[in-house]
Amino acid sequence: ELVVQFQVLNQSCQCLAWKPRPAGLWPCPDKSQHVVAGYSDGTVRVFSVSRTEMELKMHPHAAALTAIAYSTDGEMILSGGRDGIVAVSSPRTGMTIHVLADHKGSPITALQCTRKQYHDFGVEGGELWLATSSDRRVSVWGSDWLQDKCELLDWLSFPAPAGPEGLDSLPPSLAAFCPWEHGVLVYVGFGMQKEALFYSLRKKQVLRKISLPAFATSLSLSPAAPFMAIGFGDRLLRLQPCPAGEPQDYAGHDDTVH
């Protein structure tokens, strides 16, 4: 059953994210649910599902958006564009407070925030977040949004053989914080081998690798159990237990699993 629909004329929606509910509060106290969406004209729109209306429109990008995420407390919106620019904007004020050009020139493929773990990374703030771009680079940041602090914690660059011309023909570079292993992120992308890499932010090295049947096209990590869901271009979805175990494969899609 279709409950509510938002339509923006003459623009394509490229990415979206739900606003996280406050920690430990269920049901959500203000009974409102929000979705943020990024569009091909560089705009960001915040929609209230409960009130069925657009609450805010911002224009932090000159290029089409390719990734978007809320901070863990829902107080900031992180957006990434096809030109590699990452913007941090406040949905309360509609202002863009940070513009980061570290990935400039390569489309942003993934953005993710997590509550900072164990405070042992030597940076201030309560949140870690990462940005991934098509050129196989991942930047990891520590932030304190209230203090307007945003500090680069780690910069990863993964090698790859000389590929075909044009990044569009390559599998995406994707990274995510590991929910069941603190201080670790998982990376998949075009590289020397078809594999998922587990990288330790503390040790600054790859801890382990899990071989894959092909280059991944999508990646999702379970928050409740040590499992990864990985999509592939040959219409396959794999459920992979971690750190080891027999994977389960699900066929039946009629196109690339995104």
Side-chain angles (χ1 to χ4, degrees):
E1 181 183 358
L2 178 64
V3 178
V4 60
Q5 179 174 334
F6 301 103
Q7 189 169 14
V8 177
L9 296 177
N10 304 319
Q11 295 300 330
S12 57
C13 179
Q14 310 277 29
C15 47
L16 52 82
W18 283 95
K19 181 179 181 178
R21 65 175 185 265
L25 294 175
W26 181 260
C28 197
D30 61 0
K31 298 223 178 341
S32 67
Q33 292 177 305
H34 290 84
V35 172
V36 64
Y39 287 85
S40 51
D41 63 348
T43 57
V44 170
R45 290 172 169 85
V46 178
F47 299 99
S48 168
V49 177
S50 52
R51 295 218 300 271
T52 65
E53 66 181 24
M54 186 180 81
E55 288 191 349
L56 180 66
K57 176 184 173 183
M58 301 180 285
H59 201 154
H61 294 272
L65 272 82
T66 51
I68 201 160
Y70 270 99
S71 62
T72 53
D73 61 5
E75 292 297 312
M76 292 294 165
I77 293 169
L78 288 75
S79 52
R82 187 170 295 281
D83 55 2
I85 299 296
V86 175
V88 181
S89 307
S90 167
R92 285 186 184 274
T93 65
M95 301 287 286
T96 297
I97 59 170
H98 284 292
V99 176
L100 303 160
D102 300 68
H103 290 270
K104 188 174 182 179
S106 186
I108 301 297
T109 49
L111 290 167
Q112 191 198 1
C113 300
T114 186
R115 294 188 195 284
K116 211 169 100 179
Q117 301 143 338
Y118 293 136
H119 299 280
D120 63 350
F121 294 108
V123 292
E124 293 180 33
E127 186 151 291
L128 288 181
W129 62 274
L130 63 78
T132 313
S133 51
S134 293
D135 56 1
R136 302 175 302 282
R137 296 179 188 273
V138 182
S139 60
V140 183
W141 305 76
S143 289
D144 185 336
W145 305 122
L146 292 175
Q147 299 294 323
D148 200 26
K149 289 182 179 173
C150 197
E151 187 176 341
L152 184 64
L153 184 72
D154 211 336
W155 180 261
L156 315 178
S157 186
F158 294 94
E165 287 300 313
L167 286 172
D168 288 342
S169 59
L170 296 179
S173 305
L174 301 169
F177 292 109
C178 188
W180 60 83
E181 198 169 353
H182 291 305
V184 171
L185 62 83
V186 180
Y187 171 84
V188 295
F190 182 64
M192 300 300 188
Q193 306 291 334
K194 301 177 179 74
E195 57 194 3
L197 304 177
F198 287 73
Y199 177 88
S200 169
L201 292 167
R202 288 195 192 87
K203 297 180 179 177
K204 307 271 190 187
Q205 66 185 49
V206 174
L207 299 177
R208 75 185 75 91
K209 304 175 181 181
I210 294 180
S211 63
L212 303 175
F215 290 116
T217 53
S218 52
L219 172 71
S220 181
L221 276 59
S222 166
F227 279 91
M228 296 191 297
I230 306 169
F232 299 98
D234 52 0
R235 307 188 294 281
L236 183 74
L237 173 68
R238 169 167 286 192
L239 189 61
Q240 173 73 55
C242 303
E246 198 62 35
Q248 295 170 270
D249 286 343
Y250 300 90
H253 292 273
D254 57 9
D255 203 343
T256 297
V257 179
H258 293 292

